[in-house]
Amino acid sequence: MKNIIKYTGLFLIILFSCASVFFSLYSRTYDKNFRDLTAYASFFENRFYDLRMMQTMDRNTPNPKLILADIDDDSIKNLGSWPITRSHWGTMIRKLRGYGAKVIAFDVFFSEASMTCNGVNPDDELISAIEYFHEVPNNRVIMPYNLEVYGTDHYPTLPEDLYLFALNTKAGGVNYDMEPTIISNSVYPIQGIIDAEASLGFIEASADNDGVIRHYKALAFPYREVHVPSYGLSSYMHWIGEFDENEEGENKNIFKTELDLSTQGGVPILKSKKGDVELNLRGETKVRWIGGADAYTRIPIYQIIEKDPNDPEFKKLFEGSLVFVGATAFGAHDLRNTPIDSMLPGVLFHMNFVQMLIDGHFFKEFIDSAKLSWALLVGSVILLLLMQLKENPIFDLFTLVLLVSSLYYTDTYYFIPQGFETKLFWCFFALVLCYSWNTIVNFYMANQDKAFLKSAFGSYISPELIDEMYEAGSAPTLGGTSGIRTAYFTDIQGFSSFSEKLSATQLVELLNEYLTAMTDILLEEKGTLDKYEGDAIIAFFGAPMELPDHAQRACMVAHKMQESLLELRKKWVSEGDKWPKIVHDMRMRIGINSGDIVTGNMGSASRMNYTMMGDSVNLAARLEESAKQYGIFTQVAKETVELAGDEFLWRELDTIRVVGKSIPVTSYDLLGLKATAPDYLKELADKFSKAILLYKNQKWDEAIELFKQTLELEYMRYPDLKGVKTNPSEIYIKRCEDYKELPPPPEWDGVFTLTSK
């Protein structure tokens, strides 16, 4: 079932990503409801594609004969009016004929007749100039009109001149299921311009869902099997020679056979001299951008109007040129949000489209880009999943980064220049999501397996050993390792008396509450629980996981356990008669020692336990046992104190030979944490250390005097034990008095030999 979930998830990720590639390429060709539903695919992909496209955009290749006659701020200022008067336009057209321009494409609407002033009609001057420009063979002025414009009227039928144009250029007998459109009559050229045989081209800029214009509508389809060219396409056809005169020598805007529409698998293909341009069902193609406002030659229109008609530089510049007339002035408000500029003058959008047609740098067919995207997506995912079979997280991540980097570089610098519209975002989406899904599922399955082992065997062997066994993939074997570690022993004082006061049920309840609280503290500080022996807790620090601060952690556990037992005693007291007084007064002793300890699997091949062994372990046990002779509850060996750091408050307790050991050991009493210890404990530590020094120097009377002072501090530490239990100060007062009567031998080294555990 786990594998079914894993591979089903991977399949769905790949399927969703492949479908998104398709939607990203084809969504603009479907009806609005379907476009809205699948818009997410292009929304995520388009910006990423824009970024890669701009990295390879060659701003040094614009055709020098594509010139912008710029309606800039200086022109408006010098010519003194906005809109520019039509008499000025007439002058500019005549000048451009003299300079040798071939095509003038106006991105300016002339949809209303001018007012006559002093008997002079500015429209006549413009129309006369257009006719004058057309006297040169193959010269053409192109005027724009709009398709459907929200809130405006439209032609109920196709205007006659456009209808005749469409009849002459329709693709014979081909049945296109194209998205229809209508023609707005709000900005259609005035009849005089139409009569002057100016060519027409519609202007439409349709943004993607993110508000960025990337697609150029090359053809519109007002009626079935009837299509008309855009402003940019019409400009290109006239300039490149796709239009020609008929047998009578009259230019009737007839397509030559080199430019035609055909279908390949139901997809419209625009055939030009430089190659085939695949269109979507709205008549659109994406633009291969060359550059923005600084990429093309820009001449302010006032300079053209005011320049000498015989200026040699302008004649050289404009000879055989395609001149676009458009506004870049800020007040003209003809700005478009495009991939290369969020405020690009609209005329430059058309110029980039024409540049693309001139260069023949078209996009590959949609199906080719889709096949490449699918191949990269599926191939890279399969390669990643094969690498993940090694189950090496670092290698998996390296493979993912390498695949992403390779795909990005290859697509940006090879596939995009070749015209492929690779959907790399969805390739990356599939890669990252498959990697994440596979990693998460593998991690979950591994944790499930580990949880099963812990559930099945956690009652018999330590959790740390289960983890170690799982990671190694093998069963535990006998043997151990040696290292500097810390052994830890605890025992409840006088626990044998508890069974006399408590029933078996009460005893189990009490022990479970006590052991739970203490074990939680132990595990919180990464201690390893060796075993429980009745009420005793045996543990160690530094294995199986190495802990550089094992001694510090052991001492912190001792401090926290004593604090926790104090809180438990308060709780048991608050529960009234539930527990007898012996429970209210429960104390525990702790012994801690650091040294060379062997940890590992001990026992037989069929039954073993992860435990510790060594002389240092035995000493820790002796320190716990001997703590009762001093009336203290935490006795720590000097080796541990030296390793534990300086955050604890200690007092040197004694230098002793424990039962069964010949080598003396100096032990310490853990008073608390320096940061939180009350002042009387700090005073106790200071005076007790001075008294110990006097004791070792056999200054008995001075030592007794100082120990009597520390005795009062001992009572402040455990007021409830005064007169009930001995303490270190009382013990040393008694020793000093004994040594006064019977001095130690001359070779005495201050070591006290314990005679019982």
Side-chain angles (χ1 to χ4, degrees), residues 68 104-108 142-145 199-204 216-218 228-238 322-326 346-347 349-351 353-354:
L68 173 59
I104 304 174
F106 277 88
D107 188 10
V108 179
I142 299 172
M143 292 293 177
Y145 64 93
S199 285
L200 300 174
F202 66 83
I203 291 179
E204 181 181 276
Y216 192 92
K217 193 175 184 69
V228 291
S230 66
Y231 167 79
L233 181 59
S234 185
S235 302
Y236 163 77
M237 290 187 297
H238 279 290
L322 167 52
V323 181
F324 289 87
V325 183
V347 66
F349 179 47
H350 302 291
M351 294 179 73
F353 171 71
V354 172

Side-chain angles (χ1 to χ4, degrees), residues 653-704:
L653 188 63
D654 204 353
T655 302
I656 57 177
R657 289 187 183 90
V658 297
V659 176
K661 301 292 180 183
S662 59
I663 301 176
V665 58
T666 300
S667 65
Y668 289 76
D669 180 16
L670 176 57
L671 299 177
L673 301 178
K674 285 183 179 179
T676 58
D679 291 338
Y680 75 86
L681 284 182
K682 295 177 181 178
E683 183 182 353
L684 173 61
D686 179 58
K687 289 184 176 180
F688 199 88
S689 296
K690 293 177 180 177
I692 285 289
L693 186 60
L694 293 172
Y695 164 78
K696 290 183 178 181
N697 289 326
Q698 302 184 32
K699 297 180 180 180
W700 314 119
D701 291 330
E702 295 178 48
I704 290 172

Side-chain angles (χ1 to χ4, degrees), residues 91-110:
T91 301
M92 188 193 75
I93 292 172
R94 292 177 183 276
K95 287 283 187 71
L96 287 174
R97 168 181 162 166
Y99 295 144
K102 182 177 181 181
V103 176
I104 304 174
F106 277 88
D107 188 10
V108 179
F109 292 117
F110 298 99

Side-chain angles (χ1 to χ4, degrees), residues 353-608:
F353 171 71
V354 172
Q355 181 72 58
M356 182 180 79
L357 295 177
I358 292 171
D359 295 339
H361 289 170
F362 309 134
F363 285 94
K364 299 289 186 183
E365 296 180 14
F366 297 156
I367 190 61
D368 291 339
S369 292
K371 287 178 179 177
L372 176 62
S373 300
W374 288 331
L376 294 176
L377 189 156
V378 175
S380 58
V381 167
I382 290 175
L383 182 59
L384 175 66
L385 295 179
L386 289 175
M387 293 299 103
Q388 286 193 294
L389 293 177
K390 294 181 176 291
E391 298 184 354
N392 185 325
I394 301 300
F395 186 74
D396 294 346
L397 183 60
F398 174 78
T399 301
L400 176 66
V401 173
L402 182 63
L403 283 172
V404 168
S405 302
S406 300
L407 285 175
Y408 185 88
Y409 184 86
T410 303
D411 181 63
T412 303
Y413 296 102
Y414 181 75
F415 290 128
I416 287 181
Q418 294 295 319
F420 288 99
E421 196 180 345
T422 318
K423 300 305 176 181
L424 202 57
F425 172 85
W426 293 109
C427 294
F428 288 176
F429 175 86
L431 269 174
V432 173
L433 207 59
C434 284
Y435 168 82
S436 302
W437 174 257
N438 211 25
T439 301
I440 291 171
V441 171
N442 286 340
F443 179 76
Y444 173 78
M445 292 171 66
N447 280 344
Q448 289 292 96
D449 292 341
K450 189 182 294 187
F452 170 76
L453 283 176
K454 286 188 176 181
S455 174
F457 301 106
S459 300
Y460 306 100
I461 57 178
S462 71
E464 293 83 4
L465 187 57
I466 293 175
D467 292 338
E468 197 173 277
M469 179 181 68
Y470 183 83
E471 297 299 330
S474 60
T477 58
L478 294 174
T481 60
S482 175
I484 302 299
R485 290 149 190 166
T486 298
Y488 188 96
F489 284 77
T490 76
D491 194 18
I492 296 176
Q493 177 179 283
F495 186 73
S496 58
S497 303
F498 279 64
S499 58
E500 300 173 4
K501 304 289 184 179
L502 300 173
S503 66
T505 302
Q506 287 180 310
L507 193 62
V508 170
E509 181 184 349
L510 180 69
L511 269 181
N512 284 343
E513 185 175 9
Y514 165 78
L515 292 175
T516 297
M518 300 304 132
T519 304
D520 287 346
I521 294 171
L522 175 72
L523 298 180
E524 181 183 336
E525 290 292 337
K526 299 183 180 179
T528 299
L529 177 64
D530 188 332
K531 63 176 75 70
Y532 300 118
E533 287 187 354
D535 62 299
I537 301 173
I538 302 173
F540 49 91
F541 294 79
M545 180 172 60
E546 290 187 10
L547 295 172
D549 55 348
H550 55 86
Q552 186 270 340
R553 289 179 180 273
C555 295
M556 184 60 71
V557 168
H559 172 72
K560 289 182 177 180
M561 280 189 175
Q562 297 291 7
E563 293 287 317
S564 178
L565 182 56
L566 176 61
E567 295 302 316
L568 285 175
R569 289 202 304 269
K570 292 179 181 178
K571 173 182 176 295
W572 293 329
V573 170
S574 70
E575 291 174 350
D577 296 336
K578 179 179 179 180
W579 304 107
K581 190 174 186 305
I582 192 172
V583 175
H584 299 169
D585 297 334
M586 181 192 289
R587 305 279 181 169
M588 71 169 168
R589 296 187 303 270
I590 300 172
I592 306 174
N593 180 44
S594 301
D596 191 30
I597 297 175
V598 176
T599 58
N601 299 314
M602 314 294 177
S604 68
S606 60
R607 187 74 173 179
M608 62 187 71

Side-chain angles (χ1 to χ4, degrees), residues 148-163:
E148 184 175 3
V149 178
Y150 180 76
T152 65
D153 295 331
H154 62 275
Y155 288 104
T157 60
L158 198 64
E160 182 180 0
D161 49 280
L162 277 180
Y163 183 68

